[in-house]
Amino acid sequence: MSYLLNTPAQQSEMLDAIGVSSIDELFNTIPENFRLGRDLNLGDHVSEMELTAQIQQLARQNASSSSHVCLMGGGAYDHFIPAVVDEIASRGEYYTAYTPYQAEASQGSLQTFFEFQSLICALTGMDVANASLYEGGTSVSEAAFMAMRVTRRHKKVVVLESVHPEYRQTLQTYLQNLETELVVVPTPSGTVDLKQVAAVMDKETACLIVQQPNFFGSLEQAAELTRMAKEAGALSIVSVDPLSLGVLKRPGTYGADIVVAEGQGLGIPLQFGGPFLGILACDEKYVRRMPGRLIGKTTDSKGEDCYVLNLQAREQHIRRDKATSNICTNQGLMAIRATVYLSSMGPKGMQEAGKRSCQGAHYLVNQLKANGWKAPFAAPYFKECVLTPPASVSEVVTQAQEGGFLVGPVLDRFTDAFCEETQEQLQNSLLLAVTEKRTLEELDQLVGVLAS
């Protein structure tokens, strides 16, 4: 492709301009074992038609939720998406809308984000929601920073081990150049022991971070943990699965200070790792410490309804040291999808989706237990569960895929994220998640495939 071509002389000129001796030096930050070390094996030049056929043949080797029945968990799920979501979100005025620099001229986008905020507040039971963040891990991290601003405590953040390990990894990255201590409370039983939490909470703790349902799918004692955080003068941060709120208590009803979530399940398809949607809502008294942007509703000079950016204390708009966040944009298109999804599902639809997911998961787990599988954790669960098969877990995953099912992830990949005692519980185990899309026939077929 000629538009990418540059001559050795041009390359040399560019390298001189940036003070680098070679192209390889540009990639020094990439570990050697991740570099290909040779040219791409593309073969001889081919026509566009031949290239298209070749790429399609390669693509058919992928196993995805469109080619297999998906029961994978671990933070991204195969939930139903009403057709109206794609229809509305793909309209040109939405699909191409980026962060408007004359925001008030984009009344349609602002109204949609206002509706998004309102729906998230209704879903979580909180007073205020922002107009979205990047994804669930970023939301957890931004909430922790927000808690430090509110409490003026910067020395300690407490997080349960049952919070998604990748969320904790993101948080660790955020904190790595600060003096803040990140305390991880072990959860070898699948949920936390309240006494262990009480032992680490003190007057220097900014927040307690809980996931409900947690990474293992189990239900924590979220209300009691929220009370413990308040008693220590810290903020309680609860990371939720939005789909669970159709059947579980909303965090606002048991006093959570900040609620965060990964919003992928709200009308966003699985697509090779992203994009996702970060959700953050809080009590009204903390609104001025909230990251991101907040859309408000007012009236114009003619008395007509209109929408404005009324809080955006970001580094784009004020001095860096005064900003509440370095989040410079929101997930606008994903927030639009979530808005259409929540509007079309309504409270009854969310409740129905939650019930079907929960009932399907319990049916599958019972069927697998009858076939020799074990569940290492005894706590109640919502739609997802840790399970140990009677055979090698890697062989089970292969067997399921050959039978037309996607299961996992295998929990070995997260081994380093857990204490030794928890690791022992997770040996030869995987996560299984059931959404409202799965039928009884599909679940029976999976049990049959794994039993064969």
Side-chain angles (χ1 to χ4, degrees):
M1 294 181 282
S2 59
Y3 56 85
L4 290 179
L5 182 66
N6 46 62
T7 65
Q10 290 170 320
Q11 291 177 10
S12 178
E13 185 179 352
M14 288 188 284
L15 292 172
D16 288 343
I18 60 176
V20 179
S21 61
S22 68
I23 291 178
D24 287 341
E25 189 179 340
L26 286 174
F27 302 120
N28 277 347
T29 55
I30 301 173
E32 187 71 33
N33 56 318
F34 290 124
R35 299 188 215 171
L36 186 60
R38 59 171 174 77
D39 292 336
L40 291 172
N41 183 20
L42 296 177
D44 295 334
H45 67 275
V46 295
S47 68
E48 180 178 345
M49 187 168 64
E50 291 169 323
L51 179 62
T52 301
Q54 184 178 340
I55 297 299
Q56 288 175 339
Q57 184 179 8
L58 290 172
R60 280 194 289 272
Q61 296 179 29
N62 290 322
S64 71
S65 59
S66 59
S67 62
H68 290 61
V69 178
C70 182
L71 294 102
M72 299 191 75
Y77 306 97
D78 184 30
H79 282 291
F80 172 68
I81 300 175
V84 67
V85 176
D86 283 329
E87 178 64 26
I88 293 180
S90 61
R91 290 176 61 94
E93 60 268 42
Y94 281 140
Y95 204 75
T96 59
Y98 181 60
T99 300
Y101 287 96
Q102 291 181 316
E104 279 66 35
S106 304
Q107 285 293 300
S109 295
L110 292 187
Q111 181 177 354
T112 305
F113 296 142
F114 180 82
E115 301 292 349
F116 168 78
Q117 296 170 177
S118 303
L119 289 163
I120 294 301
C121 288
L123 185 67
T124 59
M126 303 301 289
D127 299 327
V128 189
N130 70 10
S132 82
L133 298 172
Y134 293 144
E135 29 70 18
T138 306
S139 296
V140 167
S141 304
E142 290 288 342
F145 273 76
M146 181 178 165
M148 286 192 275
R149 292 192 293 271
V150 169
T151 62
R152 298 180 186 275
R153 298 175 176 182
H154 299 270
K155 293 187 176 179
K156 183 192 285 187
V157 167
V158 177
V159 59
L160 304 192
E161 189 186 44
S162 57
V163 172
H164 197 303
E166 290 173 350
Y167 296 179
R168 289 190 279 121
Q169 188 177 29
T170 304
L171 179 60
Q172 178 68 59
T173 301
Y174 267 63
L175 297 175
Q176 67 181 350
N177 293 319
L178 302 177
E179 295 181 354
T180 307
E181 179 188 10
L182 180 62
V183 178
V184 181
V185 185
T187 57
S189 300
T191 54
V192 77
D193 181 342
L194 297 181
K195 292 179 182 175
Q196 291 198 28
V197 177
V200 298
M201 297 294 291
D202 56 33
K203 63 182 181 182
E204 294 184 340
T205 306
C207 59
L208 171 63
I209 304 174
V210 178
Q211 187 172 343
Q212 177 76 332
N214 66 27
F215 174 68
F216 307 124
S218 303
L219 300 181
E220 299 281 0
Q221 299 181 61
E224 185 63 19
L225 290 163
T226 295
R227 185 190 63 77
M228 293 173 67
K230 290 180 180 299
E231 283 185 355
L235 297 195
S236 62
I237 298 172
V238 183
S239 174
V240 298
D241 176 349
L243 268 296
S244 73
L245 299 180
V247 292
L248 299 180
K249 283 185 178 179
R250 300 182 300 165
T253 63
Y254 52 80
D257 294 300
I258 305 174
V259 178
V260 294
E262 171 49 64
Q264 178 271 324
L266 304 178
I268 300 170
L270 296 168
Q271 43 196 347
F272 300 99
F276 283 180
L277 170 68
I279 290 171
L280 191 149
C282 69
D283 191 291
E284 185 177 9
K285 59 179 175 283
Y286 306 132
V287 64
R288 297 195 70 82
R289 304 295 182 182
M290 175 182 277
R293 55 176 53 190
L294 185 70
I295 312 301
K297 181 180 179 181
T298 184
T299 55
D300 63 14
S301 59
K302 298 177 182 178
E304 302 287 341
D305 287 345
C306 64
Y307 300 88
V308 294
L309 278 174
N310 57 358
L311 267 182
Q312 46 178 335
R314 306 175 303 152
E315 63 178 12
Q316 264 186 324
H317 303 281
I318 62 176
R319 294 201 311 271
R320 181 181 295 266
D321 59 326
K322 297 293 184 183
T324 56
S325 168
N326 65 358
I327 292 288
C328 292
T329 189
N330 59 333
Q331 286 286 60
L333 184 58
M334 300 303 109
I336 289 170
R337 293 188 68 92
T339 305
V340 180
Y341 175 88
L342 288 168
S343 301
S344 60
M345 293 287 282
K348 192 171 181 180
M350 293 295 287
Q351 185 180 51
E352 183 65 22
K355 280 184 177 178
R356 286 176 62 97
S357 300
C358 186
Q359 291 169 350
H362 285 73
Y363 175 82
L364 177 62
V365 170
N366 287 335
Q367 294 299 309
L368 291 173
K369 282 183 175 178
N371 282 272
W373 289 54
K374 295 181 180 177
F377 302 135
Y381 56 94
F382 169 53
K383 69 178 184 187
E384 191 169 15
C385 189
V386 177
L387 289 163
T388 306
S392 162
V393 70
S394 59
E395 292 176 4
V396 166
V397 171
T398 302
Q399 188 177 355
Q401 185 167 330
E402 290 174 347
F405 295 87
L406 297 178
V407 297
V410 175
L411 292 171
D412 285 353
R413 63 181 284 189
F414 299 105
T415 298
D416 294 341
F418 298 105
C419 70
E420 189 173 337
E421 196 174 355
T422 305
Q423 288 178 28
E424 292 176 3
Q425 298 293 322
L426 300 179
Q427 284 183 359
N428 198 48
S429 296
L430 78 170
L431 278 169
L432 273 179
V434 179
T435 70
E436 73 283 2
K437 286 179 68 174
R438 301 287 72 88
T439 65
L440 199 60
E441 291 74 18
E442 289 174 336
L443 300 180
D444 286 338
Q445 287 170 8
L446 173 62
V447 174
V449 165
L450 297 178
S452 60

